[in-house]
Amino acid sequence: MLRRLLGDSRAVLASPNRNARSAVVFGRLLGIAFVICFGTGLFSHFLQDPLPWMRFPTRPTQLYQFTQGLHITAGIAIIPLLFAKLNTVMPALLQDPPVRGPLHLLERLSIAVFVSAAIVQVGTGLVNTYQWYPWPFPFRQVHYALSYVLIGSLVIHIATKLPIIVRYWRAKDSYDAEGRFVRDDTVGSELPPYGLAHPAQRDRASDPRGAPSEPASEGPASAPYPRGVVGRVLRWVDGAPAASTTGGAEPSRASRPDDESRPGGPDAAGPTQDPSAEPSLGATATGGSRERVARRGFFAGVAAATAGVVVLTVGQSSRLGEPFNVFAPRQRGRGPAGLPVNRTARAAGVLATATAADWTLTVVGPRLTRTFSRAELVALGMTEVALPISCVEGWSQMARWKGIRMRDLLAAVQAEPSSDVRVTSLERHGGYRIMDMGPEYAADPTTLVALELNGATLDLDHGFPARIIAPGRPGVLQTKWIERIEVRS
């Protein structure tokens, strides 16, 4: 029974959109998007947890704004592309028998791991942009580890499918002059054929670039249309005649023995169909042009969905897309001083300590320690810079900051400008309460202990009385409500 159900399902799922060429195209797009996400994700991860030898560029100052915006945008684009790919290969997922040998088992396992990892990775990543964590595991660590699982399974999947990828990489090698898909059984595609191949088409499978001597018969693999609405929709898509009131259906033009339009005329040899028989998916000649229209419509729909989700969210990290920012969790220009806020002072538990009249900033050097009130910091001389806040959730915005250069503070305690420093927040809890900064950032002239934002005193939610702002760093490392800076080397 299961074998019969699987066989029938594969036949009904046969479609001009479900072929090896479509699978290659969507796989290629997904591969590019996953590689982009992997590379930009590694960059973000090591910025937050660098290895001892790592140093990072501070120019361009908007580098992280670009890489993390690209990371989130590519991740969002993966969602419709992944659904399109799964739709395309669905008949192969229902194949019978499910496993045919050790190599096939490896391939199926790589697909299962890849699909599962992709769904979890993209799903949790999307939810993370809204800072909602309805799971018991730490998001960042799992997201990082799962990226290696995903890329590893993707590499295995590409290796097992390489003959199909090479064979159908180019469109001109995949379709004939009439727009019909050229099936090549020598490369091992597991998708069911859309159409009963004419001998000429079977000959072309062994010589894919050879021209057929006569047209291939058209239409999907032979199987009865299901009854009800689904059957009517499938008939409409394939251009098949509607079922007759007597319970059967009028035979299609391609199957009528007296059809003058069939090559060779009414007396030409060819298959015939009992007019009283239930029409089959293989009984209808859809034509190469109809297959081409179906494919283009499907690809256009996927392209529209992908462009839609990108355009309607990219405005959180790009000024060009700002007017169309409908679905992104952050809106540019909204918040204190016109800048969004991720973590408020109330959420951080610093309402009392950050507004205390006796607040001071302690700077600890190798031989000297000094404390500064806010007025004493201002007296050191203020510098204004334009730097973006770029958060790991994907949103970013340029702002103007005014404060004391980090290297000037280090000089005040007789420390080298190119020192490793540790910055501590007034927060008593949280994974980013303590932040380490490499010498490339400490020595940069645009790295500030900021006291003002966009021409006004820092708002409490933006880090009053003082915060860090540095070029090319994630927002979680631009520590707010700071109380201590310590030179580590």
Side-chain angles (χ1 to χ4, degrees):
M1 176 62 73
L2 178 61
R3 187 181 301 271
R4 179 178 178 183
L5 288 174
L6 288 174
D8 290 344
S9 299
R10 281 165 54 83
V12 171
L13 288 172
S15 163
N17 307 321
R18 293 186 172 118
N19 58 51
R21 167 64 184 173
S22 298
V24 168
V25 171
F26 287 124
R28 189 162 58 197
L29 295 173
L30 275 173
I32 293 172
F34 276 120
V35 168
I36 290 174
C37 285
F38 184 65
T40 53
L42 286 183
F43 181 64
S44 179
H45 174 83
F46 286 118
L47 278 172
Q48 298 174 63
D49 290 317
L51 299 176
W53 52 267
M54 286 184 170
R55 295 293 180 265
F56 300 95
T58 61
R59 295 292 183 279
T61 59
Q62 295 172 264
L63 178 61
Y64 189 75
Q65 181 180 27
F66 172 76
T67 60
Q68 193 63 10
L70 183 61
H71 180 83
I72 299 298
T73 300
I76 289 174
I78 283 173
I79 297 173
L81 291 175
L82 184 60
F83 279 115
K85 172 75 170 182
L86 291 175
N87 175 78
T88 299
V89 301
M90 186 61 67
L93 300 179
L94 298 176
Q95 63 184 276
D96 178 51
V99 176
R100 298 191 301 270
L103 291 179
H104 192 237
L105 175 61
L106 177 63
E107 176 191 340
R108 300 285 281 179
L109 287 175
S110 71
I111 294 172
V113 171
F114 173 73
V115 172
S116 301
I119 292 174
V120 173
Q121 190 82 326
V122 173
T124 56
L126 179 64
V127 173
N128 172 68
T129 64
Y130 290 86
Q131 294 186 299
W132 181 43
Y133 306 101
W135 46 72
F137 52 83
F139 167 76
R140 187 165 67 89
Q141 290 82 350
V142 172
H143 198 68
Y144 172 66
L146 201 58
S147 67
Y148 287 98
V149 175
L150 196 154
I151 291 298
S153 60
L154 177 61
V155 170
I156 294 174
H157 180 60
I158 291 175
T160 58
K161 294 293 185 181
L162 194 58
I164 299 175
I165 294 172
V166 172
R167 170 64 182 83
Y168 292 109
W169 185 261
R170 301 189 302 178
K172 67 179 184 179
D173 296 331
S174 306
Y175 303 108
D176 63 17
E178 289 75 34
R180 289 182 292 261
F181 175 69
V182 178
R183 182 173 175 83
D184 186 350
D185 290 326
T186 63
V187 296
S189 174
E190 296 170 332
L191 293 174
Y194 180 78
L196 301 175
H198 189 278
Q201 190 171 9
R202 288 195 295 269
D203 293 340
R204 181 170 51 194
S206 59
D207 184 13
R209 292 170 181 78
S213 59
E214 55 183 303
S217 61
E218 302 158 348
S222 179
Y225 280 102
R227 298 183 181 277
V229 175
V230 173
R232 294 179 183 179
V233 171
L234 289 174
R235 285 191 181 92
W236 176 79
V237 169
D238 290 337
S244 68
T245 56
T246 60
E250 181 184 353
S252 65
R253 290 179 57 86
S255 63
R256 293 176 183 169
D258 58 346
D259 188 354
E260 296 288 341
S261 65
R262 183 158 42 81
D267 297 327
T272 60
Q273 179 176 330
D274 182 356
S276 64
E278 175 71 15
S280 71
L281 291 174
T284 302
T286 60
S289 61
R290 192 175 185 86
E291 291 186 28
R292 187 184 293 115
V293 169
R295 287 193 302 270
R296 289 178 177 176
F298 180 62
F299 276 95
V302 174
T306 304
V309 297
V310 167
V311 169
L312 296 178
T313 55
V314 74
Q316 67 175 343
S317 57
S318 169
R319 180 175 295 178
L320 294 177
E322 188 174 347
F324 312 103
N325 187 13
V326 176
F327 295 129
R330 293 288 184 276
Q331 300 288 332
R332 295 160 61 90
R334 296 187 182 180
L339 192 69
V341 173
N342 256 15
R343 185 168 170 81
T344 65
R346 181 177 298 277
V350 298
L351 289 175
T353 53
T355 56
D358 61 348
W359 173 88
T360 58
L361 174 64
T362 301
V363 183
V364 181
R367 293 176 297 275
L368 178 65
T369 298
R370 293 185 60 180
T371 59
F372 299 88
S373 66
R374 195 175 187 281
E376 289 172 333
L377 287 172
V378 172
L380 289 177
M382 303 251 280
T383 300
E384 185 174 353
V385 299
L387 290 176
I389 279 288
S390 309
C391 285
V392 294
E393 291 84 9
W395 70 266
S396 58
Q397 184 177 327
M398 183 66 72
R400 299 203 65 82
W401 308 87
K402 198 170 184 180
I404 298 84
R405 288 187 176 124
M406 177 65 75
R407 65 184 189 181
D408 292 342
L409 276 177
L410 296 180
V413 294
Q414 302 177 11
E416 293 293 328
S418 56
S419 299
D420 283 290
V421 299
R422 171 166 289 176
V423 180
T424 304
S425 171
L426 289 170
E427 294 185 72
R428 299 276 74 92
H429 306 285
Y432 296 99
R433 174 179 172 266
I434 296 175
M435 178 271 290
D436 291 332
M437 177 183 289
E440 68 271 34
Y441 296 107
D444 193 281
T446 62
T447 298
L448 304 182
V449 172
L451 305 177
E452 296 182 8
L453 166 61
N454 289 337
T457 300
L458 274 176
D459 186 87
L460 186 58
D461 284 340
H462 280 309
F464 178 87
R467 69 168 298 163
I468 297 295
I469 188 70
R473 302 259 284 176
V476 291
L477 300 182
Q478 312 282 33
T479 308
K480 299 192 285 188
W481 313 294
I482 63 176
E483 65 171 353
R484 182 182 178 91
I485 299 174
E486 180 183 357
V487 177
R488 303 183 65 200
S489 64

